[in-house]
Amino acid sequence: MSEELSGLAYLLAAICFILALRGLSSPETARRGNLTGMIGMAIAIGTTLASPHVLSYTWIIAGILVGGTIGTVTALKIQMTALPQLVAAFHSLVGLAAVFVATATLYAPDAYGIGAAGSILTASLIEMSIGTFIGAITFTGSIVAFAKLQGLVSGAPLVFPGQHLLNAVLGIAAIALIAWFSATESYQAYWLIVALALVLGFLIILPIGGADMPVVVSMLNSYSGWAACGIGFTLGNTLLIITGALVGSSGAILSYIMCKGMNRSFFNVILGGFGTEEGVAATTQGDKTVRQGSAEDAAFIMQNAGKVIIVPGYGMAVAQAQHALREMTDVLKAAGVKVSYAIHPVAGRMPGHMNVLLAEANVPYDEVFELEEINHEFSTADVVYVIGANDVTNPAAKTDPNSPIYGMPILDVEKAQTVLFVKRGMASGYAGVDNELFFRDNTMMLFGDAKKMTEEILQSLG
């Protein structure tokens, strides 16, 4: 394939990727966006394979077979509730690939047209070292994120005295090593960059707690994109540069949106150590008591409601209650109850986690609303059914200046006539703070597994 034709094909693939991102911005067009992205990737792979620079297809075919098999098996077996850790695992592979490509380029530069060993172009050395640095951080950081999300290690912030100073020193050392490598093409400097970046990946993500995991997932997504972009410059591959830049910039924008959704800055997330995995037992609040109800009570209240708003959270994901929830709302709608869903931008463990689970249960897209779209509706709702959400509904974010979540935009569920709150117990959320909503007069606590409780309500409605 000629260079002109390859350039046109890569341009078409890039357009497909841009349209894919546009499609993924809305649940209604997400399927089409995903398909467009797949078409773009097929064009990109086909164009690359048709390049005259490909000398042998043996290793390429072997890689496609191995990777395709792993991807197919994973796609068939993975539960939708495990998507956050799957995304983190895939980010780690992107980072590792960037390191491998940079290493191959360093040891065989003539094969990539960037000079000969010992005389690689300075610009290529800079691109290579930066891509390697970001890729190695992405690799180990994503492994830590996967382990936290999978429950292999505690999701609580792991902090120690002097950690910020240590990270700063390592960051300065990394800059010095990149300058050394770019000036001398030293193999020793290169491997020191790799080792230092791998350590930094652990040190950056370990102090981040469960409440900040949505930001971490989108941040690592951005890192993986910039790592791919850097390697694209090294390889002189225009499409890889464009794709990496798209992923990197979109991940950065998404991280900003997540931070805004928690009223926290990016540096707060990186340096703050905010949130725990399991939460701690709620402290006693004077003589306050909670009003506890049963599935029959909840069914009776919802049957007599005119407007019900569902607020899903990570507890719904853990219990895999989305299908039972859909069945329950179908019964309510058949009885003439108006039902809608309210999604907080940081609900769950990755951006869009709740939207994905509701889509899996075939919840109509026009019933699902973001915080800004539906917050004014709570005051007119007869019932709010909170299933597994906690911090994103805590009024302390508006009323308690001493609370660590103060200033975070929340769903105003407390304004509803009745709040039905499904929860296993009185433990606090990932932020580790009590939810004063539990003690409000209009709140009824429904203690138990989210799926089981929803199924029991469904039976009572029947």
Side-chain angles (χ1 to χ4, degrees), residues 157-168 170 199-200 202-208 271 273:
L158 301 179
V159 297
F160 56 89
Q163 73 177 56
H164 300 323
L165 177 61
L166 175 61
N167 289 346
L170 292 178
V199 172
L200 265 178
F202 282 112
L203 294 177
I204 289 175
I205 306 301
L206 279 173
I208 299 177
L271 305 177

Side-chain angles (χ1 to χ4, degrees), residues 2-372:
S2 65
E3 290 188 8
E4 292 80 6
L5 189 57
S6 294
L8 287 174
Y10 279 154
L11 178 60
L12 179 59
I15 292 173
C16 287
F17 294 148
I18 294 172
L19 293 176
L21 286 177
R22 179 68 182 89
L24 292 171
S25 64
S26 170
E28 295 181 354
T29 58
R31 292 180 185 274
R32 184 169 68 247
N34 199 28
L35 178 60
T36 305
M38 293 168 62
I39 293 173
M41 184 55 68
I43 294 173
I45 293 174
T47 303
T48 302
L49 292 178
S51 170
H53 300 293
V54 177
L55 303 179
S56 172
Y57 289 97
T58 303
W59 285 103
I60 294 176
I61 294 174
I64 291 175
L65 290 176
V66 172
T69 301
I70 294 174
T72 301
V73 172
T74 301
L76 292 174
K77 290 189 173 183
I78 194 70
Q79 295 289 334
M80 296 296 283
T81 50
L83 272 183
Q85 47 265 53
L86 177 66
V87 171
F90 282 172
H91 287 162
S92 72
L93 296 179
V94 175
L96 186 61
V99 175
F100 282 168
V101 171
T103 302
T105 306
L106 174 63
Y107 282 88
D110 52 329
Y112 298 90
I114 60 172
S119 59
I120 297 177
L121 300 174
T122 302
S124 297
L125 293 174
I126 295 173
E127 296 157 1
M128 190 188 309
S129 56
I130 294 176
T132 299
F133 180 71
I134 299 175
I137 288 180
T138 304
F139 174 61
T140 50
S142 298
I143 288 177
V144 174
F146 170 83
K148 282 176 174 279
L149 292 168
Q150 187 67 16
L152 301 178
V153 299
S154 171
L158 301 179
V159 297
F160 56 89
Q163 73 177 56
H164 300 323
L165 177 61
L166 175 61
N167 289 346
V169 170
L170 292 178
I172 294 172
I175 295 174
L177 287 172
I178 290 174
W180 175 20
F181 174 73
S182 301
T184 65
E185 197 181 320
S186 167
Y187 287 2
Q188 181 181 4
Y190 175 80
W191 288 111
L192 285 174
I193 291 172
V194 173
L196 189 147
L198 292 174
V199 172
L200 265 178
F202 282 112
L203 294 177
I204 289 175
I205 306 301
L206 279 173
I208 299 177
D212 285 327
M213 289 314 294
V215 180
V216 171
V217 173
S218 60
M219 178 186 71
L220 291 171
N221 177 59
S222 180
Y223 286 178
S224 66
W226 295 124
C229 184
I231 297 306
F233 278 105
T234 300
L235 299 178
N237 188 303
T238 305
L239 184 63
L240 192 55
I241 295 171
I242 295 173
T243 305
L246 286 172
V247 174
S249 56
S250 61
I253 293 170
L254 192 55
S255 297
Y256 169 77
I257 294 173
M258 295 294 103
C259 288
K260 184 179 178 181
M262 295 188 296
N263 194 37
R264 287 160 61 74
S265 70
F266 178 77
F267 290 104
N268 286 148
V269 173
I270 297 299
L271 305 177
F274 180 61
T276 60
E277 174 65 19
E278 300 296 338
V280 296
T283 58
T284 57
Q285 297 197 13
D287 58 353
K288 291 183 179 180
T289 59
V290 299
R291 184 162 63 104
Q292 183 176 348
S294 64
E296 291 78 11
D297 297 327
F300 177 79
I301 293 172
M302 284 196 278
Q303 272 179 329
N304 291 278
K307 182 177 182 179
V308 174
I309 299 178
I310 312 294
V311 178
Y314 186 60
M316 183 190 76
V318 173
Q320 299 188 43
Q322 61 270 25
H323 295 284
L325 182 64
R326 165 65 195 274
E327 293 178 21
M328 184 190 78
T329 56
D330 283 347
V331 173
L332 290 174
K333 288 189 291 184
V337 179
K338 181 182 178 182
V339 178
S340 54
Y341 297 78
I343 308 294
H344 193 282
V346 295
R349 307 307 294 274
M350 74 174 188
H353 195 183
M354 296 301 102
N355 300 78
V356 170
L357 295 178
L358 294 178
E360 183 202 15
N362 294 316
V363 171
Y365 297 134
D366 58 0
E367 294 179 5
V368 182
F369 300 92
E370 300 296 331
L371 180 147
E372 295 84 359

Side-chain angles (χ1 to χ4, degrees), residues 295 324 328 385 450-460:
M328 184 190 78
Y385 187 70
K451 182 179 180 181
K452 184 178 179 182
M453 178 60 68
T454 303
E455 289 174 340
E456 290 176 356
I457 294 175
L458 177 61
Q459 292 175 0
S460 298

